[in-house]
Each structure stands twice: as structure tokens, then as C-alpha cells.
Amino acid sequence: MLKQLIIKNFTLIDTLDIRFNPGFSVITGETGAGKSIILGAIGLLLGQRADTKAIKAGASKCVIEAHFDLSRYDMEEFFSQNDIEYDPDDCIVRRELAASGKSRAFINDTPAPLALLKELGERLIDVHSQHQNLLLGKQDFQLEVVDIIADDAAELALYREAFSEYTDSVKALGELNEKIERDRANADFIRFQYDELDSARLAEGEQQELEQKASTMSHSEEIKSALYEADNMLAAEGAGAVGNLRSAGGAMEAVASMLPQAAELAERLNSAYIELKDVSQEISRLLESIDFDPVELDAINDRLDTIYSLEKKYHCESVEGLLARRNELREQIDNIDNSDEALAELQAKVDAARQHCLDCGARLTALRTDAARRIEGEMQQRLVPLGMPSVRFSVAVDAEQPSRNGCDRVAFLFSANRSTPMQPVSQVASGGEIARVMLSLKAMISGAVKLPTIIFDEIDTGVSGKIAEKMALIMQQMGRSDRQVISITHLPQIAAVGQTHYKVYKEETDSGTTSRMILLDGDARVREIAQMLSGSDVSEAAINNAKELLRK
């Protein structure tokens, strides 16, 4: 419930701090007094786009702040999920707009993105403006009304999951069909590419091994020279390092009994001798194995040329890439050869997914059909007292192809007279009739949705007299169930029913025109309603009439 609204430097408002009460409240004021400005400020709190032109001339920024009582609406989960401090008795929503164009939003003094502000706003306030009457012609709105009354959110979620699986399988089938068609058109070329790669008999690691062999054979003379020199230094008769190291170890062993340290040195020299001898033997084997064979080198280079040519042709950087490409081509060929089986298998999945979607849709349709009958009965009861004794209201639920919202097309049909056939409500209802239908729908929906605050912006357009009074009583009734209803109105019959009455007016000050909003009580309220009855010249009769309206 909206407890307090604070507006600073917004359009014609310099400072406004107004408190709101539970139940049914009304806001009155002449056209152009600033009622739409207040709605615009509330719209910013609900996440609407901001315009720097809305900042009062001469001010650096505007601030709109609202305080809400959420103690009866079980909204703690929203705050915990978004890591925002939860105070059910005083939830503060604030929007700041700087002249530089920068906009900031806060929920309980925690910075919040506009998307989050909008999500919270949709749970706090429903603003019904005059243009929303056009929603009666929108199928989505009509379907949403039926879904709210059907309380089918869980079933709708299951249906949407099934519909998503169905559309995904249809998409996969289409993609497979397109791929098979492309592959079939290129079948000969695909087989040629596969045969070319397969006949090359490629092996993983082959390129690196061949490149190493080619490098070794191309530098065989330098390699053999280095190996020969190393072999000679290590194993030359009488002068090789291996023999000298062995002799050094023997010398140390000879004096080990006389010099204790010599035994350890002899052991270390013998270990070094064993390792160096092993190295010398390995070098000797390499020396014998290195040989230059021009025929083999030519064969290696030819093989590498083949590999390099294939890599360039298939845009691969390695033999492994060529092998992967060959495997892809093999898979394409298998798909072409087995395309009928693959299509049949996927088609079966599509059929199963469609049937599951239709089954879920049928359960959703049953809930909607039952809700449609309840809506018809309740709307009949609500509209007859609103000056339409012969009204007929029907909710048609017709089958259509599965879509994200189900397998149903919903239409609200209406006739104000028994002799006139029912047609879509937006096509045959007058402005006043549409206003009464929308109010009745809102009243019905409000019983199913636990929304703290509903604001009606001149929903009484096109009605007057007793009908306006009955509409006021409906809004008053809506405000009795832990709900706050605020109506912006030009009709005294509605203004008189409000439990709380506010007036918006313009005032000329030294700094220019300013919009203000005050709470009316006692004589001030009587005079405001009398003025709504008679115009600027308030007569005694108008005063008495206003008192009578308030008494009733």
C-alpha cells in the first residue's frame, strides 16, 4: 500500500509531500491542474523511461520517492532473491534524474537497475489510464484475464516447456532437412574429398616425424662430424675421457687403505665412469646409424609435399586437422546414405513432442474454459447494476495452432441489447460501456491478484449520474480487501464516495506556476464537490447537493 509520495523539482512541482490512506481515495482537480504530472512521477517509480525535460526549470535534478507498507503482501522472497534489505512496514522506492541525463534508482537505499525497479513496481501498483481501455481489443490482454481467473500459472509453465521442446524439435528437423539437401547436392564432391584424404593414408604424428627425419638427413654431414669428434674425445685409445676416468678411479682405489677420503672419491669416479661410458656407447651407435640416403630423403620430401598440399587445400594446420576433416566427410556420407532413417527418427520425435504439447494444451484449455464460464457469470452480475440490464457478455475460447501461450484464441464478446448479436467488445461497445467493462474486469481480477495499490485515471469517462455512483461503490468495495484504490475523477458522484479526498491545483508564485496537492476535509471537501457540480459559481443549492452526496 502506498503510504507517502514525495516529489521534488518535477515538471511544475517544486515540493510535494503527501500521505495516502488505505481504502478508496479520490483525486480531483481541474483539467491541466497537474494530476497527470503526479501520475508521471509515479510512472518513473515504476521503471518508465525518464526525460530530462521533466526536471523543473532551474533545478539540477528531480527526486521522486514513495513509501510502501508491504506487511500484508508476502514479498520477502523478492527482496532476499535480489539481496535487498526487507522492511515490510516501510519499503522505500526512489528515483533520481539529473539534468545531465543520468538516472538512478534505489530500493530501500540500495542501488537498483530499472528492470528490477519495474519488476517491483508491477507488484506494487497498477495504473489504469484511459488508453488502457484499448487493451480490450487485444487478444493477449483477454487471454491474460482468463489465465488470472483460471489460476493456471503452473499448467501454463508446463505447457510452455512442452511447446519449447516441440519447437526445438521442429527446428532441428528443418535444419536436418536443409543439411541433407545440401549434402545430397554436393554428394559427389563430398565423396571425392573423402577418397582423396582417405587414400593419403595419413597418420597422427606423421608430419612431425617426417620433418624431423628430413632435417636430420639434410644435415647429416654436420651431425656425423660432431658425433665423430665427441666419440674420439670420449673413447680414443689411451687419450679418451672414458679410459682416463677409469684410470683415475683405479688410482684412488689403490690408496684407499691409506687415505680414507680416497675410497669415497674412487666411488664417485666409478659412478661417473659408468655414466660417461654409457654416453660414449650411445654416441657410437648414433654415429653408425647416421647415413645420407638421397633416395629416402626424396621420398620423405615427396610425402611432406603431399601433406602440405592437402593442408593448404583443406585449410588445416596439421595432419590431425586433415584426419578430423576426413572423419567429418565420412559422417556426411553416412548421413546421406542413412538420411531417410535419420529423418524418420527425428520426425518421430517431432510427432511425440507435438502430441505432448497438445496434451498439455488440452489441460490448459480445460482450465481456461472453466474460467471463461465463471467470468461470464461474474461479468453479467457486475454489468447489470451498472446500467446495462440487457447486457450479454461471453468469453469465446476457440482452438488454434499451438503457440507460446497455448492452443486457444480468446475473444470477449459483448452486446448491450438482447436483440443485437454479440460481437467483439472493442468493436461494438461505446466509450462509457468500455469503461464499465474495464472496471468490472479490474474488480474481478483484483479479487484474484493480491496487488497493494490500484490507480484509476478517469475510468469514469463516458458515464455520469447513478452509473458513476455505482462505479464508485465498486471501487470502494475493491478498497476494502487489504487493497488501496485511488481514482482520479471529474465526477462529483465518484468524488463523494471516496474515504479520502485529495485536490490538485495550480498556484502562481514568484518563481512561476506550481502544482500542488492537498488533503481535503470538512467544508473544503464540500465546496470542492459543489464546484464539481455547479462550476466556478458555487450556489447554495450546489453546497446542499454536495452535502447530500457525502451523506449518502
Side-chain angles (χ1 to χ4, degrees):
M1 183 189 76
L2 178 63
K3 298 194 304 179
Q4 184 179 10
L5 179 64
I6 302 169
I7 303 174
K8 295 181 180 179
N9 300 322
F10 183 71
T11 310
L12 295 180
I13 298 175
D14 48 12
T15 301
L16 173 67
D17 186 346
I18 195 81
R19 292 187 175 274
F20 290 89
N21 297 324
F24 178 43
S25 301
V26 294
I27 299 175
T28 61
E30 295 182 1
T31 301
K35 300 185 294 295
S36 61
I37 295 175
I38 294 170
L39 282 180
I42 292 174
L44 288 181
L45 289 177
L46 302 183
Q48 294 179 5
R49 292 184 60 184
D51 188 342
T52 54
K53 295 178 182 178
I55 301 175
K56 188 175 177 64
S60 60
K61 72 173 183 178
C62 70
V63 179
I64 298 100
E65 179 176 298
H67 294 247
F68 293 89
D69 179 359
L70 308 181
S71 58
R72 296 188 298 276
Y73 299 102
D74 301 325
M75 296 182 64
E76 185 173 3
E77 184 179 357
F78 171 86
F79 290 85
S80 61
Q81 286 180 347
N82 293 286
D83 197 24
I84 297 174
E85 182 182 351
Y86 178 61
D87 184 350
D89 297 319
D90 189 22
C91 171
I92 305 172
V93 179
R94 186 169 75 256
R95 183 88 179 268
E96 298 179 359
L97 177 61
S100 62
K102 185 176 181 181
S103 173
R104 299 193 301 170
F106 302 86
I107 301 174
N108 287 339
D109 292 326
T110 301
L114 280 186
L116 188 63
L117 191 71
K118 185 175 182 180
E119 182 181 350
L120 177 61
E122 289 174 349
R123 300 187 182 197
L124 295 177
I125 299 179
D126 174 30
V127 179
H128 181 90
S129 57
Q130 294 180 56
H131 76 271
Q132 279 192 305
N133 288 339
L134 299 175
L135 290 174
L136 268 180
K138 304 292 184 182
Q139 186 190 356
D140 287 349
F141 171 76
Q142 297 176 11
L143 183 60
E144 184 180 1
V145 170
V146 172
D147 282 336
I148 289 172
I149 301 304
D151 192 19
D152 59 11
E155 198 65 52
L156 180 58
L158 290 175
Y159 168 83
R160 284 178 173 168
E161 183 180 346
F163 178 73
S164 179
E165 292 175 359
Y166 167 57
T167 54
D168 287 347
S169 63
V170 170
K171 181 180 178 182
L173 180 61
E175 291 174 347
L176 180 59
N177 263 313
E178 291 177 4
K179 185 176 183 300
I180 289 174
E181 288 301 317
R182 289 195 305 268
D183 289 348
R184 282 176 176 170
N186 299 317
D188 291 341
F189 182 59
I190 292 172
R191 293 183 191 278
F192 168 78
Q193 288 184 313
Y194 173 77
D195 291 341
E196 183 177 43
L197 289 173
D198 190 56
S199 62
R201 298 290 184 268
L202 300 168
E204 291 187 9
E206 177 184 9
Q207 182 177 340
Q208 294 87 338
E209 182 180 348
L210 290 174
E211 287 173 342
Q212 183 59 55
K213 282 185 177 181
S215 177
T216 299
M217 293 184 72
S218 299
H219 300 86
S220 60
E221 290 302 320
E222 297 96 314
I223 294 171
K224 288 186 71 172
S225 177
L227 289 172
Y228 178 80
E229 184 177 357
D231 182 61
N232 190 52
M233 289 179 177
L234 291 172
E237 190 70 32
V242 175
N244 288 336
L245 192 58
R246 177 67 182 127
S247 298
M252 288 298 98
E253 288 177 350
V255 298
S257 60
M258 297 170 281
L259 181 64
Q261 294 90 335
E264 181 185 353
L265 291 171
E267 184 177 350
R268 291 169 63 187
L269 285 168
N270 285 333
S271 296
Y273 163 74
I274 293 171
E275 178 64 22
L276 194 59
K277 183 180 179 182
D278 185 60
V279 171
S280 176
Q281 291 173 346
E282 182 67 23
I283 289 174
S284 296
R285 285 193 294 272
L286 283 172
L287 183 59
E288 292 175 1
S289 66
I290 297 299
D291 195 13
F292 175 70
D293 185 347
V295 175
E296 184 180 0
L297 181 58
D298 287 343
I300 290 173
N301 286 331
D302 288 343
R303 180 62 173 170
L304 286 172
D305 287 343
T306 299
I307 292 173
Y308 295 150
S309 176
L310 290 172
E311 288 175 348
K312 182 177 181 181
K313 181 176 182 178
Y314 291 96
H315 306 288
C316 297
E317 297 181 354
S318 64
V319 168
E320 287 71 25
L322 290 171
L323 290 171
R325 178 61 182 149
R326 183 200 64 185
N327 294 338
E328 289 173 6
L329 292 167
R330 178 69 262 175
E331 184 178 351
Q332 285 181 277
I333 292 170
D334 290 341
N335 288 339
I336 294 172
D337 293 340
N338 301 309
S339 58
D340 292 340
E341 292 85 347
L343 284 172
E345 182 179 349
L346 195 49
Q347 182 64 58
K349 289 184 179 179
V350 170
D351 294 341
R354 177 179 172 80
Q355 188 57 52
H356 178 52
C357 179
L358 292 175
D359 291 342
C360 291
R363 290 191 290 271
L364 190 59
T365 298
L367 292 175
R368 287 170 170 171
T369 302
D370 179 66
R373 303 292 80 82
R374 284 184 279 136
I375 292 171
E376 291 171 350
E378 186 165 344
M379 287 296 289
Q380 190 81 14
Q381 292 176 6
R382 290 182 179 277
L383 290 172
V384 168
L386 291 177
M388 291 187 277
S390 301
V391 70
R392 286 177 294 156
F393 188 92
S394 175
V395 181
V397 182
D398 299 319
E400 68 173 5
Q401 289 300 313
S403 68
R404 185 176 181 274
N405 290 322
C407 306
D408 310 304
R409 182 175 65 256
V410 170
F412 288 174
L413 305 178
F414 172 86
S415 174
N417 307 296
R418 295 193 182 280
S419 59
T420 305
M422 287 193 294
Q423 296 183 50
V425 62
S426 60
Q427 297 178 16
V428 297
S430 66
E433 289 168 343
I434 285 179
R436 282 173 274 178
V437 170
M438 283 300 292
L439 178 61
S440 298
L441 286 172
K442 289 280 185 176
M444 180 179 61
I445 292 172
S446 69
V449 179
K450 207 171 185 182
L451 191 68
T453 300
I454 300 176
I455 299 176
F456 290 107
D457 181 17
E458 299 184 12
I459 196 171
D460 47 42
T461 300
V463 299
S464 60
K466 290 184 178 180
I467 303 304
E469 184 179 348
K470 291 182 181 296
M471 291 178 71
L473 293 174
I474 289 175
M475 288 185 276
Q476 184 188 66
Q477 182 64 38
M478 291 171 64
R480 288 176 182 167
S481 304
D482 287 338
R483 189 177 295 106
Q484 179 185 52
V485 177
I486 301 171
S487 176
I488 297 174
T489 182
H490 287 292
L491 298 182
Q493 292 87 350
I494 290 180
V497 177
Q499 295 163 262
T500 310
H501 189 159
Y502 302 92
K503 179 179 180 179
V504 178
Y505 64 97
K506 282 183 180 179
E507 183 178 69
E508 295 297 331
T509 66
D510 294 339
S511 58
T513 304
T514 298
S515 282
R516 303 197 185 282
M517 181 175 177
I518 58 171
L519 174 65
L520 297 180
D521 203 356
D523 292 341
R525 187 177 186 191
V526 171
R527 186 167 186 82
E528 171 68 9
I529 293 176
Q531 191 169 15
M532 295 173 73
L533 286 164
S534 64
S536 56
D537 295 329
V538 179
S539 65
E540 188 65 29
I543 292 288
N544 292 332
N545 196 359
K547 289 180 179 179
E548 179 64 17
L549 282 175
L550 287 168
R551 185 191 64 77
K552 289 172 62 177

